[in-house]
Amino acid sequence: QAGKFPTTIAGGDKLLEKIDTVKATIKFQMKKVMCMSVAIGHVKMSKDEIALNVQLASNFLASLLKKNWQNIKVLYIKSTMGPRFQIYF
């Protein structure tokens, strides 16, 4: 489930394409704090795939904001147990 909305499937739709589409979606959630986090990869992905996901997710986030990149102060990338790395400041 992981916070995703149900998807309607018509009779002629290809099920594998719908599954891939739902797996590829990310959900940005911002509550009252000015900090947010989003999953952009997993252990079995290559470095190039993760770098592409970071780039696409950060550009998409900037496109959602009113002043685009002017509203973003700092971006960090972090693994579950590792240290954080600043990628935008």
Side-chain angles (χ1 to χ4, degrees):
Q1 197 103 16
K4 293 190 167 75
F5 293 106
T7 305
T8 58
I9 300 174
D13 290 344
K14 294 184 179 179
L15 192 58
L16 290 177
E17 288 179 10
K18 288 282 188 177
I19 290 171
D20 290 338
T21 303
V22 171
K23 283 183 179 180
T25 57
I26 58 174
K27 183 178 178 183
F28 289 103
Q29 273 187 322
M30 187 166 155
K31 298 185 179 178
K32 293 182 181 181
V33 295
M34 296 302 292
C35 179
M36 63 174 26
S37 61
V38 61
I40 51 125
H42 55 81
V43 177
K44 294 181 182 176
M45 293 177 73
S46 69
K47 292 179 183 179
D48 293 333
E49 291 173 325
I50 293 174
L52 180 64
N53 281 354
V54 168
Q55 182 180 8
L56 291 173
S58 57
N59 286 335
F60 182 70
L61 173 64
S63 72
L64 293 176
L65 301 172
K66 280 185 180 179
K67 295 182 181 179
N68 293 334
W69 285 98
Q70 294 174 359
N71 284 17
I72 298 174
K73 185 177 180 180
V74 178
L75 285 178
Y76 293 100
I77 185 169
K78 184 182 180 326
S79 65
T80 304
M81 299 296 288
R84 64 184 182 175
F85 297 101
Q86 190 170 357
I87 59 172
Y88 177 79
F89 50 91

